[in-house]
Amino acid sequence: MITKLEQHQIDLFPTYVKKWVDIGLNTEPTDMIEAVKAIKGAYAKAGIPEPEYFIGPVNSPHEGAVAEAFLHYHVKNKTNFKSGADLNRRVLEEVEQFNKGTLPFKYHLRLRLPDAHAADGLPVEFHRPQLGRAPISISNQIYGSQEYWLSYYDYFMKECGLDLNLVEPLIALSKVCGWWTPLSNVAIIQHRAEEIHRDNENRLHNENGPAVKFRGENNASNVYAVHGVRVSKKVIDRDYGVAEIESENNAEVRRVMIDLYGQSKYIVDSGAQVVHTDDFGTLYRKEIPGDEPLMMVKVVNSTQEPDGTFKDYWIRVDPNAYGGLKTARAAVASTWRDQDAERSFVFKNPEDYNPDIET
């Protein structure tokens, strides 16, 4: 029994973290030959007869669910195939037809996805003619390259000599494919995601498209996120207005919507309250249910533009500064902070802010 790790073993933690993060972020296409070999090994370790048929690679978890639905259809209807290759070709063709909406009417398909996908603006059910009786979902799928828990076993096998070889095929599989579906006598294999975008804090992030983009034309499995906050495609497409922002119940999503809409534009379009106007600018306040108010001060650039106009600038300010902002002067003063860890106010009293020249 291991009760304590040696320091040289502890020092290897970052190496394994990087190794498994890199595995999870790998966007290369699936290696079908190696994936099939690893899946056969996984079935063998589990004491289950290895699959006779392999379907794939499909492009995404959504396509994996559709492929599974077609397999159930063919089992139910006792469809005959010349070979495993013939079965694979047929199912991949049917998945493509489903994606394009050209599926022959003889297929009775009803596909149900989990609620998490419904939050992305997708229908929970795709109303095609029904395929079998049972709704099909991604719940049978295993995460392949995203099985991060395998890092634990990988470390203790290699660095501590524990006999954990039951998971060795799964570790091998994580390095060569995306999600996959283990079924009786058949396995469905998926490509890894084609693109994964993150911010500088390693959170999923892309303001102009999917943060996780899968291959193929069907985007039902794509993930949309801004600084780690999961949002719908509609938000990323900026296909919303003030009413949608104010009806959003999730505070984090609402903040993302306001940022992408434009804070100053939202202040104007939503009819925010003018709190105070003076020679320093105009202070606005917008109450947001379940969150702190949005306060911005509009100031005018003292430098004339080439066309003779003076440009407005909007600055977001902390509504709690100086015990609660009440004047535009205090709002502008609150933006001056020391570069210390506390980000203290340069001006201890907002009345001390009185520049001879504004720049």
Side-chain angles (χ1 to χ4, degrees):
M1 177 184 293
I2 298 174
T3 59
K4 183 180 179 181
L5 295 176
E6 301 295 333
Q7 187 58 48
H8 74 275
Q9 294 172 316
I10 295 173
D11 290 343
L12 289 169
F13 284 178
T15 300
Y16 280 82
V17 169
K18 183 180 185 307
K19 173 182 177 179
W20 282 92
V21 168
D22 288 347
I23 288 173
L25 294 176
N26 191 333
T27 56
E28 295 177 359
T30 283
D31 184 330
M32 278 294 287
I33 294 176
E34 292 301 317
V36 167
K37 185 189 304 182
I39 289 172
K40 287 181 177 180
Y43 275 68
K45 291 288 186 182
I48 302 171
E50 67 182 38
E52 184 178 356
Y53 305 106
F54 293 89
I55 305 300
V58 295
N59 290 311
S60 66
H62 178 270
E63 287 193 6
V66 174
E68 183 182 348
F70 285 121
L71 285 172
H72 285 296
Y73 173 89
H74 292 305
V75 169
K76 178 183 176 182
N77 290 278
K78 299 179 181 179
T79 309
N80 292 318
F81 296 94
K82 297 176 182 178
S83 63
D86 184 37
L87 169 63
N88 188 37
R89 178 192 57 76
R90 174 82 71 85
V91 171
L92 292 182
E93 286 178 353
E94 290 163 343
V95 169
E96 184 177 1
Q97 289 175 329
F98 179 87
N99 289 339
K100 293 179 177 179
T102 59
L103 197 64
F105 188 78
K106 68 176 182 177
Y107 295 105
H108 295 281
L109 180 65
R110 185 183 182 200
L111 174 68
R112 177 170 295 168
L113 294 178
D115 291 342
H117 288 279
D120 282 343
L122 298 173
V124 176
E125 297 179 358
F126 289 79
H127 292 286
R128 305 283 177 96
Q130 185 176 345
L131 170 62
R133 293 288 179 183
I136 303 301
S137 76
I138 64 171
S139 60
N140 289 332
Q141 298 181 18
I142 296 177
Y143 301 149
S145 61
Q146 296 175 346
E147 294 279 16
Y148 62 89
W149 59 272
L150 289 170
S151 61
Y152 175 88
Y153 296 94
D154 186 30
Y155 173 86
F156 278 98
M157 276 195 301
K158 292 180 178 175
E159 306 306 331
C160 302
L162 295 188
D163 183 7
L164 301 169
N165 59 46
L166 281 175
V167 299
E168 283 183 332
L170 295 179
I171 291 175
L173 187 59
S174 71
K175 300 174 184 178
V176 295
C177 79
W179 293 18
W180 65 289
T181 309
L183 301 169
S184 177
N185 204 34
V186 62
I188 304 168
I189 301 171
Q190 300 173 27
H191 279 305
R192 290 172 277 217
E194 186 175 30
E195 298 176 15
I196 301 176
H197 301 271
R198 299 180 296 162
D199 63 14
N200 57 8
E201 295 184 22
N202 296 323
R203 299 171 297 188
L204 288 178
H205 173 75
N206 188 357
E207 295 183 2
N208 300 300
V212 180
K213 179 182 181 298
F214 287 90
R215 290 171 168 80
E217 298 178 2
N218 192 313
N219 62 9
S221 294
N222 289 349
V223 176
Y224 298 87
V226 176
H227 298 302
V229 178
R230 185 82 176 267
V231 298
S232 68
K233 183 177 185 295
K234 186 174 182 178
V235 170
I236 296 300
D237 291 342
R238 278 67 163 179
D239 183 20
Y240 61 91
V242 170
E244 287 86 354
I245 293 173
E246 298 188 342
S247 65
E248 173 57 57
N249 293 321
N250 185 298
E252 287 187 321
V253 173
R254 188 168 57 238
R255 290 185 203 120
V256 170
M257 294 174 75
I258 291 172
D259 288 344
L260 296 183
Y261 188 83
Q263 293 175 352
S264 60
K265 187 174 186 296
Y266 176 66
I267 284 283
V268 173
D269 292 352
S270 66
Q273 172 194 0
V274 176
V275 176
H276 183 259
T277 300
D278 57 23
D279 291 341
F280 297 89
T282 302
L283 179 62
Y284 292 82
R285 181 185 180 99
K286 175 65 180 177
E287 297 294 339
I288 301 177
D291 206 349
E292 70 173 18
L294 173 64
M295 294 194 75
M296 300 190 77
V297 60
K298 182 176 74 171
V299 298
V300 181
N301 187 7
S302 61
T303 303
Q304 193 174 35
E305 298 293 315
D307 62 0
T309 61
F310 293 86
K311 188 174 182 179
D312 291 338
Y313 286 92
W314 292 80
I315 306 171
R316 184 168 186 175
V317 291
D318 179 3
N320 301 311
Y322 296 122
L325 292 176
K326 296 180 176 62
T327 68
R329 182 179 193 172
V332 177
S334 72
T335 65
W336 290 77
R337 303 292 181 108
D338 286 327
Q339 298 303 309
D340 55 20
E342 290 77 23
R343 299 281 291 160
S344 307
F345 294 122
V346 170
F347 304 101
K348 305 307 177 187
N349 188 308
E351 283 69 34
D352 294 337
Y353 175 69
N354 190 25
D356 293 329
I357 300 175
E358 284 196 276
T359 61

